[in-house]
Amino acid sequence: MSAKRDYYEILGVTKSSTAEEIKKAYRKVAIQFHPDKNPDNKEAEEKFKEAAEAYEILSNSDKRAHYDRFGHARGNGGFSGHNMNMDDIFSQFGDIFGGGGGSPFDSFFGGSTRGGRRQRKGSNLRIKLKLTLEEIAHGVEKKIKVNRLIRAEGVTFKTCTTCQGTGQIRKVVNTMLGQMVSASTCSNCDGSGQIIDKRPSGVDSSGLVSKEEIISVKIPSGVADGMQLSMSGKGNEAPGGGTAGDLLILIEETEDKYLKRNGNDLVYDLYITFVDAAIGTNVEVPSVGGKVKIKIDPGTQSGKILRLRGKGLKDINGYETGDQLVYVNVWTPKKLTSEERAKLESLRGSSNFEPQPDSGEKGFFERMKEYFN
Ligand SMILES: [Zn+2]
């Protein structure tokens, strides 16, 4: 790298130029060599960086005095002027060009939004959303009412006086290895370089105002209780500028009257009479797709599990669909009239009523094993 050019020469000013003259001169050079205006032009970029560095030093009276005495030698001053990155450079603009999204500099380049000041992100909004099993099964579009913080109209900003619009506080720290420059985010402006100047009533200290909005949310099928969906950019807007936070939607599943959920499978407890269990019948069971007819075979044992393939919930990833399991319970009467009692009594001795479990009858443990597979 060639020897460093004189900072005054770079900006086309003299040692007796005022701070205002230096600012004006830098503005001119910066606009001339701005990367947006000179795409893929390395030379312009170098000139742009060089000018930024010169301005960084000459705009600060301490650094300027030091430079006047020692030139480019680093001396005891611990310049932070060298090796500025583009972010540092753009961060100066808040100071020089008035800052904010609507700075003259930005509009000069057609509203370029690049800037080195820290982009603030708005806070996230959290809401709970109750869904029925039916809604979960098919997916649903919900209109949600939220109170968002949005940037208020009529708020004006000014350059942060604590950090001079850079968004950073630079401090020279003495360490065993010599002096080092540490930079930390300005706490006054939270790194944005801008603070509120004027705000209308009802607007908070961040320049935000609460507004009720109806947001349409598409809930995919297969969500589950406790899942959190996130809609990016639908949270609170950022103070001053930057990107809005996210809207976080916590799913709450309301319990269904009939169907219990086990992952993507649904479980239904069916109760039948032992007459139906013995003779067989057709019954209707509820499912998320409407009522389903099922056949109860003659001789159906209590505890039998019927599997309705594909009648469960679609996996949220969309690859698989669960089943509906119908758990057959044979209802034993709790009260009997004397007539009923007499009829049953007459069957007591019948050999067909004697339990005769064979290998076809699955006991409780067998069924559980089957169920979990
Ligand atoms: Zn600040």
Side-chain angles (χ1 to χ4, degrees):
M1 200 168 154
S2 55
K4 269 181 179 284
R5 281 171 74 201
D6 178 60
Y7 288 147
Y8 292 100
E9 192 190 313
I10 290 165
L11 297 182
V13 291
T14 66
K15 281 202 172 193
S16 58
S17 295
T18 64
E20 201 48 46
E21 284 165 347
I22 288 170
K23 195 182 218 178
K24 264 191 191 158
Y26 172 53
R27 191 181 176 132
K28 228 175 95 185
V29 179
I31 288 172
Q32 187 188 345
F33 295 113
H34 193 282
D36 285 2
K37 235 187 139 194
N38 302 274
D40 300 314
N41 183 337
K42 266 273 157 225
E43 200 188 332
E45 196 187 300
E46 280 313 312
K47 287 223 157 79
F48 184 70
K49 283 184 180 168
E50 197 183 36
E53 184 185 322
Y55 180 74
E56 157 95 330
I57 303 304
L58 299 185
S59 63
N60 177 304
S61 54
D62 288 345
K63 289 177 184 173
R64 184 178 175 183
H66 188 94
Y67 176 72
D68 286 346
R69 275 186 73 191
F70 301 106
H72 286 296
R74 284 177 65 83
N76 295 321
F79 285 170
S80 64
H82 73 127
N83 288 335
M84 287 179 75
N85 63 32
M86 282 302 197
D87 282 353
D88 292 332
I89 297 170
F90 289 118
S91 76
Q92 287 181 338
F93 292 160
D95 184 24
I96 306 156
F97 298 103
S103 76
F105 196 83
D106 280 346
S107 58
F108 184 85
F109 293 105
S112 161
T113 51
R114 75 197 293 177
R117 278 165 275 113
R118 199 172 91 177
Q119 282 268 317
R120 279 196 280 189
K121 195 174 181 217
S123 52
N124 292 337
L125 269 177
R126 285 181 176 77
I127 56 152
K128 286 178 182 171
L129 183 62
K130 276 194 161 74
L131 295 174
T132 64
L133 190 60
E134 199 74 24
E135 289 170 329
I136 288 170
H138 305 293
V140 65
E141 185 160 355
K142 284 273 183 187
K143 302 244 188 277
I144 301 174
K145 198 194 282 179
V146 292
N147 285 307
R148 293 180 75 200
L149 290 173
I150 60 161
R151 283 195 289 279
E153 276 179 52
V155 177
T156 58
F157 293 87
K158 62 183 177 189
T159 302
C160 174
T161 46
T162 306
C163 63
Q164 258 63 259
T166 62
Q168 294 202 321
I169 304 295
R170 284 168 193 267
K171 246 193 274 174
V172 178
V173 186
N174 288 307
T175 72
M176 279 170 69
L177 303 170
Q179 289 185 321
M180 294 174 81
V181 178
S182 80
S184 58
T185 301
C186 173
S187 59
N188 190 38
C189 61
D190 197 23
S192 73
Q194 297 285 299
I195 53 170
I196 300 264
D197 188 17
K198 293 194 186 75
R199 56 179 161 125
S201 65
V203 176
D204 73 10
S205 60
S206 304
L208 300 172
V209 66
S210 180
K211 190 180 168 245
E212 192 178 279
E213 273 184 36
I214 306 291
I215 292 176
S216 184
V217 188
K218 273 207 171 106
I219 308 291
S221 57
V223 295
D225 195 76
M227 266 185 191
Q228 188 173 268
L229 306 177
S230 152
M231 287 181 84
S232 91
K234 294 290 184 189
N236 291 322
E237 290 193 341
T243 53
D246 301 333
L247 174 62
L248 305 176
I249 303 159
L250 183 69
I251 302 296
E252 281 186 354
E253 197 175 317
T254 55
E255 204 168 301
D256 192 79
K257 217 173 148 192
Y258 303 108
L259 300 168
K260 300 278 168 283
R261 185 171 178 179
N262 181 39
N264 293 327
D265 287 340
L266 298 172
V267 180
Y268 177 68
D269 260 314
L270 173 69
Y271 285 88
I272 59 172
T273 67
F274 70 63
V275 178
D276 284 342
I279 299 170
T281 186
N282 289 308
V283 293
E284 275 188 338
V285 298
S287 83
V288 289
K291 288 202 186 285
V292 177
K293 270 204 167 87
I294 57 169
K295 189 173 175 248
I296 302 296
D297 290 329
T300 293
Q301 298 298 330
S302 191
K304 188 179 173 74
I305 296 169
L306 302 171
R307 187 179 287 264
L308 309 179
R309 297 235 171 247
K311 294 283 184 195
L313 300 173
K314 203 162 129 197
D315 191 81
I316 185 138
N317 297 315
Y319 298 118
E320 282 168 32
T321 303
D323 302 328
Q324 179 168 324
L325 302 160
V326 178
Y327 194 98
V328 180
N329 301 274
V330 175
W331 181 255
T332 306
K334 290 183 177 175
K335 293 185 287 200
L336 295 168
T337 63
S338 52
E339 197 185 339
E340 287 162 347
R341 194 183 163 84
K343 281 182 183 166
L344 291 173
E345 201 63 69
S346 71
L347 297 167
R348 203 195 275 277
S350 172
S351 63
N352 287 335
F353 279 69
E354 283 293 312
Q356 298 161 35
D358 57 30
S359 60
E361 314 303 342
K362 288 170 181 154
F364 177 78
F365 290 107
E366 277 296 305
R367 288 196 303 268
M368 288 321 276
K369 224 168 95 187
E370 193 177 65
Y371 174 79
F372 286 111
N373 278 331

